[in-house]
Amino acid sequence: MAERRGKGAGEARSDPRGKSGMLRVKMVLLGSSGVGKSSLALRFSKDDFKDSAPTVGCAYLTQLVCLHDATLRFEIWDTAGQEKYHSVTPLYYRGAQAALIVYDISNRESFMRAQLWLKELEKQYVPGETVVGLVANKSDLSSSRQVSLQEGRSLAENKGLLFMETSAKSGNQVSELLLDIAHRVKLSSREDKGLAEWREADCVDMHREGRPRPLSSCCLTIGL
Amino acid sequence: MEKEHQEIEQPKAVRCCDLPSNCDANQTGSVEVPATISQDNPDAGELDCGIEDPFPCKGDDAAITSTNGLSEPQGAEGEGAPASALSDGTAGEADGLSKPEGAAADEDDPPENVSDSASTDNTLEDSNEFMVTVLARGGLEDQADGTPSALSEAGGPAQGPAPSHRDEDVTAESWRRHRKHVFVLSEAGKPIYSRYGNEEALSSTMGVMMALVSFVQSGDNTIRSIYSDEHTVVFVQQGPLVLVSVSCSRQSEQQLRSELLYVYRQIVSMLTQASITRIFERKKNYDLRRLLAGSEKILDGLLNLVDSDPSFLLSAVHCLPLASSLRDSLSQILQKAITPNLVFSILIAKNQLLTIVQEKTVIEDARLEPADLHLLLNLIGASSAFQAGEIWTPICLPLFNPDCYFYAYISYLDPPECTVCLLLLSTDKEAFYAVAECKRKIDEGMRTQNALRSIARAQSYSASQVGVSDLRHFMYKPFDVPDNHRQLTQFTSPEMEAPYSSEEERMRLLDLYRYLHSRIHSSSRPLKLIYHVAERETLLAWVTSKFELYTCFSPLVTKASAINAITKLLRWIKKEEDRLFIRNPPKYSTTPNPSKSSRGGKGGSDRQDTTDNGFLSLL
Ligand SMILES: Nc1nc2c(ncn2[C@@H]2O[C@H](COP(=O)(O)OP(=O)(O)OP(=O)(O)O)[C@@H](O)[C@H]2O)c(=O)[nH]1
Ligand SMILES: [Mg+2]
């Protein structure tokens, strides 16, 4: 696992730039259970592939990404796709600078759910603030493909998302995906450093004041 | 081989406390047991035929237990005659092992039996036949030919944790032959979980089960169990969920009931009781599988553990033997790494507890129950995903507070081997970074003390280390470790070694223990001491006010030498207890951070409520 610093919850929200000029990036992986989020995360962090059990709650891991002019420290929140965790997912995606919405090209249902996740995210973020990627995983299963490349790509174009077909199994396009995200995060952070912070504060308030509407609508819509 | 089975029912005249004072684990003097187990069974011919014997039943007799408002299972149906025989110290024990306690099917005398068994409270004689037939149609019972023995399967292939149980053909004979089925359904009769086979394919069977439950309910009654030749069917209703166990394992109704409660609690640990209730209040025929999707493995794993790990039977925690100095220093490392709202710090290796440190105020309010820890351990074991990184997940401890979530931080300290697991429980869902920082400190503490290496060397022990010939295995559960009244209940037990090295033999020994346990904890006729000569071993179980002890000896042991051995064993445990048990679980104080979650309620549960209001209202 990559080196970690970090000194408690306070720091997580404060200065996104570390002392060394390293940019801290919170990235969340969203999508139905079984689409390969944990497998992608394992590729990101260890360039490995193992058969994995469904995630419980959320797994946290870190990965450094070096660009030519900066180093980004990705804090990856690999959420559980199982429905019972949907009500907690906002806990994990709040304040994220990057979000990957993952579906499985061999599973149409997961593509539908990806769109619901996207709607959910849009409620929380003004588009453009957070780098959102649509990831079509399991590209190695093209023989049983249920979602065409074109379909995925046009959805992403409509919404202005980054799009990539990947295979966590073969490793195809996985590191490209991470690099692409890193570039975009870096760009957006240069334009506006503070956004993620106040957004997060906003969400916390919504939660605390007992107005869980956006969140509960999440479990309702996603669950249907 | 001669078979004999003797036991002493604690006679009214003998005060329970007489025994322990003689046989206190703390005492090194001789244990004067013999006088109390001298009641020999006069009729060896009719005695216990051992658990290996085929179940000698045919016919359709079944007994239905149903009680109204009784909180304890009666379990005594059909035992009328044998019970009275036994209380006279005569041959009643014959039935003991060959049938589950309370099994009514005594084929010599079926009619009497059925009426006997159904006559508990609200008499159900009229409906007995009906229900059994219904159940048979539902595909559960089809033993009319009575040919295959229930035990041909006991400990057999069904035991293996084969991964593809979900795909099993539920109409196949092999499906029916499983030793223990467990079903969970909603009050509306919707299938939620089946241990074997796809719940969907079983929806008609589950419908029949629910029909049974409601049929009895309509008579203002509660269905508790059904006995047939080979199977015991036990029903447990918890809120809107109905849990059913269909077992030919010959466990007592009480044991099966407590296993079903584990299943219920594991479900609660993932969803909380409050949200389950709320969901079904809103929509009676909600399909809970939506929320449990992906959790089948956790329930499967739990049921396999329940069958194979005596911790569940004993409701006690097994901790890894460790030099007390090492355990203390591990505790200190945990004790130093704290943050507000942290309530439990738990270190686990090889699925056994190394140490546990608790928040002071929490321990005053309520203690961590072994069952809650078992559920946590099962969750960790069932999910290999934990090895991937650091986990932050909501989790409910049903016995601590069934309606609230804790947030569990779970991480392995020794990647990539992943044998030493750290579990930190907080009441604050936002505390991930703070709690993760505690782990960093713990990592550091472990490194400076080279603790991981010492932990790696720690291992369970062998019964031979006790130095008592003929002693093959034992389980010892002290009730009260001095000065730690509110401590986690623990037990100690050596590795199961030859002749119990195969899965099957291990299960057989556990079945014997389960049988002894059921006699000791029988609600109708609890026993204090059982000397049980089985076919391939001799067992002695003994409960006092200070401990519960199960021992297994080679079949050659004599009663006198077994008792002598127990004296030595107790002495050995006394000598080793600092190593075998967590003796002084340390505490820490993490005053709740006032800016967060709560104004520091008295205990964890109060704090829980305030922390989780927003969260809970979501489901
Ligand atoms: N063929 C193929 N299989 C994959 C790929 N990625 C993941 N899988 C498999 O898909 C299954 C699910 O993968 P996970 O990574 O656990 O899925 P997840 O999205 O993390 O699921 P949850 O944690 O339940 O939300 C596993 O059996 C993986 O081995 C891929 O790119 N190709
Ligand atoms: Mg996952």
Side-chain angles (χ1 to χ4, degrees), chain B residues 60-283:
Chain B
D60 292 313
D61 311 322
I64 297 186
T65 326
S66 80
T67 59
N68 194 358
L70 280 178
S71 57
E72 272 304 293
Q74 292 306 288
E77 287 64 44
E79 213 182 43
S84 53
L86 242 192
S87 54
D88 298 333
T90 52
E93 190 48 25
D95 283 344
L97 257 189
S98 52
K99 288 170 204 166
E101 188 174 8
D106 183 358
E107 75 276 31
D108 297 337
D109 211 1
E112 205 179 295
N113 225 313
V114 169
S115 54
D116 214 353
S117 48
S119 60
T120 347
D121 309 73
N122 296 13
T123 312
L124 280 171
E125 289 101 323
D126 299 343
S127 39
N128 275 356
E129 250 180 48
F130 162 76
M131 292 200 192
V132 174
T133 323
V134 173
L135 199 62
R137 282 199 205 122
L140 279 167
E141 285 291 342
D142 191 13
Q143 303 301 331
D145 58 338
T147 23
S149 127
L151 284 166
S152 61
E153 211 242 353
Q159 270 320 111
S164 56
H165 287 322
R166 284 284 100 63
D167 312 324
E168 256 180 62
D169 176 5
V170 301
T171 58
E173 187 59 20
S174 60
W175 181 82
R176 294 184 185 193
R177 298 267 106 219
H178 282 299
R179 174 185 153 103
K180 193 187 292 163
H181 283 277
V182 171
F183 306 95
V184 181
L185 45 148
S186 73
E187 247 177 332
K190 283 229 176 199
I192 293 171
Y193 169 79
S194 166
R195 185 181 189 182
Y196 303 108
N198 181 310
E199 334 65 59
E200 197 81 65
L202 291 164
S203 51
S204 66
T205 303
M206 299 221 203
V208 172
M209 291 179 188
M210 201 51 230
L212 273 173
V213 172
S214 10
F215 179 82
V216 179
Q217 256 167 9
S218 67
D220 253 352
N221 210 329
T222 308
I223 189 161
R224 301 181 66 93
S225 55
I226 300 177
Y227 292 99
S228 79
D229 313 342
E230 292 194 358
H231 291 93
T232 305
V233 186
V234 173
F235 295 82
V236 166
Q237 177 150 17
Q238 290 285 309
L241 302 190
V242 175
L243 299 98
V244 185
S245 172
V246 180
S247 157
C248 54
S249 66
R250 300 187 181 183
Q251 283 172 263
S252 72
E253 181 178 334
Q254 216 172 337
Q255 286 170 354
L256 294 170
R257 195 173 295 283
S258 91
E259 293 180 3
L260 287 178
L261 279 176
Y262 276 116
V263 173
Y264 173 70
R265 288 179 191 137
Q266 187 86 69
I267 293 173
V268 168
S269 79
M270 298 183 275
L271 301 177
T272 74
Q273 191 166 269
S275 61
I276 295 173
T277 312
R278 192 161 39 237
I279 285 165
F280 283 104
E281 265 166 18
R282 268 181 218 164
K283 203 172 164 212

Side-chain angles (χ1 to χ4, degrees), chain B residues 291-575:
Chain B
L291 286 179
L292 287 177
S295 311
E296 302 88 351
K297 266 191 189 159
I298 292 174
L299 297 179
D300 293 350
L302 174 76
L303 287 167
N304 289 335
L305 271 184
V306 159
D307 280 342
S308 63
D309 179 349
S311 311
F312 291 85
L313 179 70
L314 296 175
S315 303
V317 173
H318 196 187
C319 65
L320 193 68
L322 215 58
S324 60
S325 58
L326 176 57
R327 206 187 301 276
D328 288 347
S329 64
L330 292 177
S331 307
Q332 278 160 23
I333 293 172
L334 296 187
Q335 218 172 355
K336 280 179 197 148
I338 53 172
T339 181
N341 298 316
L342 190 66
V343 284
F344 291 109
S345 305
I346 301 168
L347 209 50
I348 297 149
K350 299 164 191 161
N351 242 317
Q352 290 172 40
L353 194 61
L354 284 173
T355 185
I356 176 167
V357 188
Q358 319 185 342
E359 217 280 335
K360 271 198 188 98
T361 47
V362 169
I363 199 174
E364 274 163 25
D365 259 27
R367 61 176 191 172
L368 188 60
E369 293 290 334
D372 281 343
L373 200 59
H374 292 152
L375 299 176
L376 273 172
L377 288 183
N378 176 54
L379 189 78
I380 292 173
S383 180
S384 63
F386 285 135
Q387 307 185 3
E390 297 158 75
I391 298 290
W392 185 243
T393 184
I395 179 105
C396 166
L397 301 180
L399 288 168
F400 196 92
N401 183 340
D403 297 326
C404 291
Y405 281 118
F406 280 96
Y407 288 80
Y409 172 92
I410 303 163
S411 176
Y412 283 88
L413 298 180
D414 60 340
E417 286 80 18
C418 295
T419 53
V420 182
C421 183
L422 175 69
L423 188 66
L424 301 172
L425 292 177
S426 168
T427 55
D428 178 7
K429 60 173 173 284
E430 309 281 351
F432 172 79
Y433 287 100
V435 173
E437 187 53 27
C438 294
K439 188 245 177 178
R440 252 34 89 198
K441 280 189 205 148
I442 291 166
D443 259 341
E444 220 172 276
M446 302 282 273
R447 221 181 358 260
T448 45
Q449 304 200 12
N450 228 334
L452 282 178
R453 191 170 303 165
S454 324
I455 292 172
R457 274 198 302 260
Q459 52 187 359
S460 200
Y461 56 96
S462 154
S464 63
Q465 279 169 255
V466 180
V468 176
S469 56
D470 291 333
L471 179 67
R472 287 179 176 176
H473 190 259
F474 66 88
M475 305 193 293
Y476 174 85
K477 170 179 153 183
F479 287 133
D480 191 17
V481 181
D483 15 87
N484 293 302
H485 292 289
R486 316 207 63 187
Q487 202 191 318
L488 205 59
T489 311
Q490 301 167 47
F491 78 102
T492 188
S493 187
E495 296 280 16
M496 280 198 188
E497 291 164 327
Y500 307 106
S501 10
S502 75
E503 185 89 1
E504 251 173 310
E505 284 299 292
R506 229 173 281 167
M507 190 54 70
R508 201 174 57 77
L509 176 58
L510 282 174
D511 279 338
L512 288 165
Y513 281 151
R514 275 190 269 262
Y515 167 69
L516 296 177
H517 177 274
S518 75
R519 300 311 310 264
I520 280 191
H521 293 275
S522 153
S523 49
S524 48
R525 256 176 346 99
L527 301 173
K528 292 280 171 195
L529 189 61
I530 306 173
Y531 184 73
H532 176 74
V533 180
E535 197 175 335
R536 285 179 255 172
E537 52 275 291
T538 294
L539 295 103
L540 202 155
W542 185 21
V543 62
T544 75
S545 66
K546 301 253 164 139
F547 61 82
E548 191 169 327
L549 174 67
Y550 299 85
T551 49
C552 170
F553 295 95
S554 78
L556 301 174
V557 82
T558 62
K559 205 183 300 166
S561 64
I563 283 151
N564 190 25
I566 284 184
T567 316
K568 282 191 187 151
L569 171 61
L570 292 175
R571 207 178 292 156
W572 182 84
I573 291 171
K574 174 72 189 158
K575 187 164 64 76

Side-chain angles (χ1 to χ4, degrees), chain A residues 100-119:
Chain A
L100 296 183
I101 298 178
V102 187
Y103 67 90
D104 167 359
I105 63 150
S106 68
N107 179 340
R108 178 115 215 131
E109 168 79 11
S110 74
F111 183 60
M112 308 316 288
R113 295 222 169 188
Q115 297 174 46
L116 294 172
W117 274 118
L118 191 57
K119 285 213 184 84

Side-chain angles (χ1 to χ4, degrees), chain A residues 73-222:
Chain A
R73 190 162 157 285
F74 274 88
E75 297 183 348
I76 302 168
W77 291 82
D78 166 26
T79 65
Q82 288 170 34
E83 187 169 335
K84 65 169 174 281
Y85 294 112
H86 284 178
S87 57
V88 251
T89 311
L91 175 68
Y92 306 120
Y93 66 60
R94 275 191 334 240
Q97 286 98 340
L100 296 183
I101 298 178
V102 187
Y103 67 90
D104 167 359
I105 63 150
S106 68
N107 179 340
R108 178 115 215 131
E109 168 79 11
S110 74
F111 183 60
M112 308 316 288
R113 295 222 169 188
Q115 297 174 46
L116 294 172
W117 274 118
L118 191 57
K119 285 213 184 84
E120 186 51 39
L121 266 187
E122 282 170 347
K123 276 181 212 152
Q124 302 278 328
Y125 300 100
V126 181
E129 261 172 36
T130 308
V131 176
V132 180
L134 184 65
V135 181
N137 191 39
K138 306 202 187 179
S139 62
D140 56 294
L141 297 181
S142 56
S143 55
S144 44
R145 182 189 277 276
Q146 290 184 0
V147 184
S148 73
L149 178 64
Q150 195 42 49
E151 245 177 312
R153 181 173 285 150
S154 59
L155 173 67
E157 274 168 8
N158 273 340
K159 307 273 184 181
L161 314 178
L162 185 152
F163 179 74
M164 194 80 87
E165 270 204 3
T166 60
S167 167
K169 189 173 186 179
S170 72
N172 190 36
Q173 292 290 88
V174 175
S175 54
E176 286 82 350
L177 170 66
L178 192 60
L179 274 177
D180 215 337
I181 292 280
H183 279 294
R184 296 212 187 187
V185 168
K186 179 128 191 311
L187 274 177
S188 73
S189 82
R190 197 171 293 152
E191 285 157 14
D192 194 340
K193 286 178 217 163
L195 275 179
E197 287 164 58
W198 72 256
R199 259 292 145 191
E200 179 173 31
D202 192 27
C203 296
V204 173
D205 282 350
M206 289 200 299
H207 203 69
R208 285 268 163 79
E209 282 163 19
R211 274 203 298 135
R213 211 178 306 117
L215 311 184
S216 60
S217 73
C218 148
C219 11
L220 291 178
T221 46
I222 297 286

